[in-house]
Amino acid sequence: MVLALKELKVRGEIRNPVEYLVQLLETDDFKANDIDTSWLDGILAAKSISMQMDDSVTVASAALFRAHEACKAARLDFENALERGQFSTAALDALDAFDVDIVVSDVKYTVRVRRTGADAYAISTNGGEEAPASVREQPDGTLLANVGGVSRQITGFEEPLGLRMIVDGATVFVPAAFDPSEIRSDVTGKI
């Protein structure tokens, strides 16, 4: 059952507990069948099972996802302007090098993204050394990203409170940069 859950791919904006279920099934208590009705309650209260991903992987994946989306949107705007007979490359020129702010584990990272090709980038975090990166969009909308020779599969969805990504099958939430002058909610309605 664990192998079947690990191979399960859910596409789209459907939230699911697959990764959490895999970790539950791999606990020693579950394997030894030493569980009862209060077992899950104890795990939830203790928060002993959580999905952890290295912050550097999360930051690089989020920066590449947002950079790719920004470049794709600018290219679409440019093509629409050309169809209307307008010619201005100002929006495209602004995408040669730009900053992306990412907040992970309550730390704000400023990622400098420099385009080096159609789908090639050089990224540096907080003024550090540049790392080569490339992104290729798959037919199903996922991104195949390569940073420093390591390939990752990334799917992302911008939500009101931040970016929800699935990186190599693990769901990660990257909150939007907090502005204390704004009040935000993930549901519609009056506050």
Side-chain angles (χ1 to χ4, degrees):
M1 184 163 33
V2 172
L3 290 176
L5 285 172
K6 285 183 177 182
E7 293 295 320
L8 180 67
K9 303 279 187 219
V10 179
R11 303 271 188 228
E13 296 185 34
I14 301 168
R15 295 184 189 172
N16 62 71
V18 173
E19 301 115 22
Y20 191 77
L21 290 174
V22 168
Q23 285 193 349
L24 278 177
L25 296 176
E26 290 180 336
T27 60
D28 291 333
D29 289 339
F30 190 86
K31 289 177 183 176
N33 199 19
D34 188 23
I35 58 174
D36 55 25
T37 56
S38 65
W39 173 74
L40 184 58
D41 293 334
I43 286 178
L44 292 173
K47 296 183 180 180
S48 61
I49 294 181
S50 63
M51 298 300 296
Q52 296 295 325
M53 182 176 289
D54 187 44
D55 287 350
S56 63
V57 172
T58 304
V59 170
S61 299
L64 283 175
F65 177 81
R66 287 187 169 156
H68 178 76
E69 291 296 311
C71 292
K72 191 165 72 169
R75 181 184 172 119
L76 184 64
D77 289 345
F78 178 72
E79 289 172 356
N80 289 338
L82 281 179
E83 288 176 1
R84 293 189 305 267
Q86 301 169 344
F87 184 76
S88 173
T89 61
L92 294 178
D93 292 340
L95 292 176
D96 287 342
F98 56 96
D99 292 333
V100 178
D101 290 330
I102 306 293
V103 177
V104 176
S105 302
D106 295 328
V107 177
K108 182 178 179 182
Y109 298 90
T110 300
V111 180
R112 184 73 175 164
V113 178
R114 188 172 56 84
R115 284 187 72 187
T116 58
D119 290 328
Y121 304 92
I123 60 173
S124 63
T125 305
N126 295 339
E129 187 176 324
E130 282 189 343
S134 62
V135 176
R136 187 175 69 212
E137 189 165 348
Q138 303 297 310
D140 63 355
T142 61
L143 301 180
L144 186 61
N146 185 318
V147 181
V150 178
S151 294
R152 302 204 180 274
Q153 191 173 17
I154 304 169
T155 304
F157 308 100
E158 288 287 352
E159 296 179 350
L161 297 179
L163 171 64
R164 183 167 310 281
M165 292 188 307
I166 301 170
V167 180
D168 291 338
T171 303
V172 181
F173 182 74
V174 178
F178 178 68
D179 182 359
S181 66
E182 295 180 1
I183 297 175
R184 291 188 177 207
S185 173
D186 59 347
V187 295
T188 58
K190 295 181 181 179
I191 296 180

